[in-house]
Amino acid sequence: MEKIPLYIDNQDNKGSGKSFKNYNPATGEVIHEVSGTSPDDFEKAIHSAKQGFKVWSAKSPTERGRILQKASQLLRARNDELAQIEVMDAGKPIREALEVDVTSGADCLEYYAGIAASLHGDHIDLGGDFAYTRREPLGICAGIGAWNYPLQIACWKAAPALACGNVMIFKPAEVTPLSAYKLAKIFTEAGLPDGVFNVVQGDAEVGQMMTKHPAIAKVSITGEVDTGKKVMAASAATLKHVTLELGGKSPIVIFEDADLDEAVHGVMLGNFYTQGEICSNGTRVFVHASVKEDFLDKLIQRTRALKVGDPSDPDTHVGALISKDHFEKVMQYIALGQEQGAELACGGKQVEVKGCEGGYFIEPTIFIAPEDNLRIVKEEIFGPVMTVLTFTEEEEVLQRANNTPFGLAAGVFTRDLRRAHRMVAGLEAGMCWINTFNINPVEIPFGGYKQSGIGRENGLAAIEHYTQLKTVYVAMDKMVNPF
Ligand code: NDP
């Protein structure tokens, strides 16, 4: 069985930490052994990153962009192979991985490759004297990934970091170790100097090595809210910069004038794509009471037609949940929803998939909830479980939509232009969609309000989070000495 190594200095590194197993969520079978990262290995990664930073930060931005551009081309050329790796590692349907996972990573590299050479400071005229600002890299950045979009997350962190002249040590989630390693090898092939993108493998303990290490200037993590809090607390000891991309329980509001077919499409996309394992999912669906019956009829009919199955089958719409533990957690929420009085309108059961008997499959599930106070309405489930609630007044639904500690995303479906913009102005969420949902091209900033995160990924906004500003005052005349 292939053993996945660490990747330090553009080379495989066997690692001396405790190795661990990597499972295919669709079958429950072990697919790889993975090298673990010991504190000594981590020091090697740091040493290598320090050397890498000297070389990389001295390169011209155009040259940095050229290498990122090449990496993006290599990703696209290997789309199918990498998509299959994501399917095997994360259990997501191949039809999604072929379309989204690799291309969104490649888009991100391409976008920041294009931006690298245009980064600049400002000139500030002081009437004789003047000042200028330099936008400088932070140094060694740590990237810590979640397991739902392993390759995309690695690219979303690496691309802006590297474009700005930083170097990165990246730790993928323990359960999805493969694609970050493949990305590192692609970077090597694209000409990235040694030490600019190192990959360490392991669990939270390795994550803690990153958040504690004084040589690391910044940590960018995608993960749960509680993990984000721990990362921020640990980073505070050395005042690291942090970007936190955390969980959500996002609302989708469907007004009575909405195109109901489009709205159904939006809520399905926002709940069942990647088995519901998407941070920005709109799992609280508020539908106007006057269109509730129509909406539910269409929604349930279309949801029942989804095929839950072997993720490598091109006909499959809904794949396997990431692990046994996570599967059990989602099933417990489904049981809890029923105990607390929500009506199970669709799904709710485990699915046995032929040829994937050891996998973790759950039917796309729709609850009709009598009120907002149920745990399935309030807590992030991170599986294919949607709750539908009803409302009658705009002000009321806005207040209910915002009544959550999360603030990652929100969606509004209506044909009324003014109402749409009024609603999104009032919604406490970092990412809002009007008449669509969960579309995240790299050009637009993405990130959360409230406990869903700090900082932004993608767009020009990410540049702010991977650079620091140096101000230089230039005296053009002799100093006036007051003493
Ligand atoms: P976790 O919070 O469990 O883990 C995220 C990463 O952090 C993993 O690599 C994990 O290691 C690591 N980690 C865990 N504890 C610590 C620690 N104390 N210090 C440093 N690193 C640590 O999240 P999941 O992987 O389970 O991902 C699901 C969560 O991610 C959901 O809440 C989801 O909403 C959120 N998410 C947010 C996104 C966003 O952009 N806002 C996008 C995608 C997901 P390991 O798992 O290997 O032990």
Side-chain angles (χ1 to χ4, degrees), residues 144-149 152-153 156-157 171-175 202-211 219 221-228 230-231 234 244-248 277-280 326 329 380 382 406 408 446-448 452-453 457:
I144 305 180
W147 41 257
N148 58 341
Y149 276 84
Q152 185 197 71
I153 290 172
W156 280 21
K157 297 189 188 309
K171 184 195 93 64
E174 189 190 9
V175 290
D203 58 11
E205 229 175 276
V206 181
Q208 284 160 3
M209 292 179 199
M210 300 173 123
T211 54
V219 182
I221 181 169
T222 300
E224 290 174 10
V225 171
D226 283 348
T227 309
K230 286 181 199 152
V231 163
L244 308 175
E245 289 292 348
L246 309 176
E277 295 166 332
I278 296 186
C279 51
S280 51
H326 189 57
K329 178 184 142 187
E380 185 182 44
F382 218 58
F406 297 109
L408 189 54
F446 180 82
S452 287
E457 291 194 308

Side-chain angles (χ1 to χ4, degrees), residues 391-468:
F391 74 96
T392 51
E393 301 301 326
E394 183 181 318
E395 233 173 85
E396 164 218 340
V397 77
L398 181 62
Q399 183 272 325
R400 288 168 65 194
N402 285 337
N403 187 19
T404 167
F406 297 109
L408 189 54
V412 180
F413 282 84
T414 176
R415 287 190 173 101
D416 180 337
L417 199 62
R418 287 184 179 148
R419 174 154 65 188
H421 292 289
R422 197 164 56 231
M423 277 294 290
V424 292
L427 284 162
E428 296 164 358
M431 180 71 232
C432 293
W433 290 280
I434 297 174
N435 292 335
T436 187
F437 204 79
N438 262 357
I439 309 295
N440 289 306
V442 63
E443 294 88 345
I444 62 175
F446 180 82
Y449 275 21
K450 301 198 276 189
Q451 293 193 27
S452 287
I454 291 181
R456 291 292 176 270
E457 291 194 308
N458 292 343
L460 292 175
I463 299 299
E464 299 284 331
H465 300 290
Y466 281 104
T467 52
Q468 52 195 341

Side-chain angles (χ1 to χ4, degrees), residues 64 118-122 132-138 164-165 460-471:
R64 288 202 290 262
S118 330
L119 298 176
H120 58 77
D122 290 322
Y132 62 94
T133 57
R134 290 169 51 86
R135 193 161 278 288
E136 296 185 345
L138 299 167
C164 295
L460 292 175
I463 299 299
E464 299 284 331
H465 300 290
Y466 281 104
T467 52
Q468 52 195 341
L469 217 52
K470 178 177 281 171
T471 307

Side-chain angles (χ1 to χ4, degrees), residues 163-418:
C164 295
N166 302 283
V167 297
M168 176 162 273
I169 303 177
F170 188 83
K171 184 195 93 64
E174 189 190 9
V175 290
T176 51
L178 284 178
S179 51
Y181 169 64
K182 296 286 178 188
L183 175 66
K185 287 176 78 89
I186 283 175
F187 275 141
T188 304
E189 211 179 317
L192 202 70
D194 292 356
V196 179
F197 186 75
N198 292 330
V199 176
V200 292
Q201 300 281 3
D203 58 11
E205 229 175 276
V206 181
Q208 284 160 3
M209 292 179 199
M210 300 173 123
T211 54
K212 269 191 211 144
H213 204 291
I216 287 185
K218 178 198 171 86
V219 182
S220 173
I221 181 169
T222 300
E224 290 174 10
V225 171
D226 283 348
T227 309
K229 289 177 185 171
K230 286 181 199 152
V231 163
M232 193 167 177
S235 299
T238 45
L239 274 189
K240 298 184 195 319
H241 296 241
V242 290
T243 294
L244 308 175
E245 289 292 348
L246 309 176
K249 190 79 191 177
S250 300
I252 301 180
V253 181
I254 298 157
F255 285 96
E256 64 278 21
D257 63 345
D259 177 329
L260 282 194
D261 290 314
E262 286 283 296
V264 166
H265 188 73
V267 301
M268 288 175 72
L269 193 63
N271 277 271
F272 303 137
Y273 210 69
T274 307
Q275 310 79 239
E277 295 166 332
I278 296 186
C279 51
S280 51
N281 270 356
T283 44
R284 292 182 297 138
V285 176
F286 293 93
V287 58
H288 194 273
S290 64
V291 292
K292 177 187 169 193
E293 295 308 323
D294 256 12
F295 172 77
L296 277 172
D297 284 351
K298 287 173 189 280
L299 173 64
I300 291 168
Q301 196 193 350
R302 284 186 58 186
T303 301
R304 288 205 175 118
L306 293 179
K307 181 177 174 193
V308 183
D310 181 348
S312 60
D313 176 350
D315 291 334
T316 291
H317 299 108
V318 180
L321 272 76
I322 189 70
S323 64
K324 186 165 187 288
D325 283 355
H326 189 57
F327 165 84
E328 281 166 3
K329 178 184 142 187
V330 175
M331 289 305 286
Q332 278 161 15
Y333 269 112
I334 292 172
L336 185 71
Q338 293 172 88
E339 276 163 35
Q340 293 198 325
E343 179 192 336
L344 184 62
C346 181
K349 290 200 276 307
Q350 177 174 8
V351 181
E352 297 289 340
V353 173
K354 201 158 171 282
C356 294
E357 283 74 14
Y360 316 113
F361 299 90
I362 298 180
E363 289 175 333
T365 300
I366 301 169
F367 276 109
I368 303 169
E371 45 133 346
D372 301 357
N373 215 20
L374 308 188
R375 280 185 55 198
I376 58 160
V377 182
K378 294 197 296 189
E379 297 172 15
E380 185 182 44
I381 300 174
F382 218 58
V385 183
M386 173 196 313
T387 52
V388 177
L389 303 127
T390 44
F391 74 96
T392 51
E393 301 301 326
E394 183 181 318
E395 233 173 85
E396 164 218 340
V397 77
L398 181 62
Q399 183 272 325
R400 288 168 65 194
N402 285 337
N403 187 19
T404 167
F406 297 109
L408 189 54
V412 180
F413 282 84
T414 176
R415 287 190 173 101
D416 180 337
L417 199 62
R418 287 184 179 148

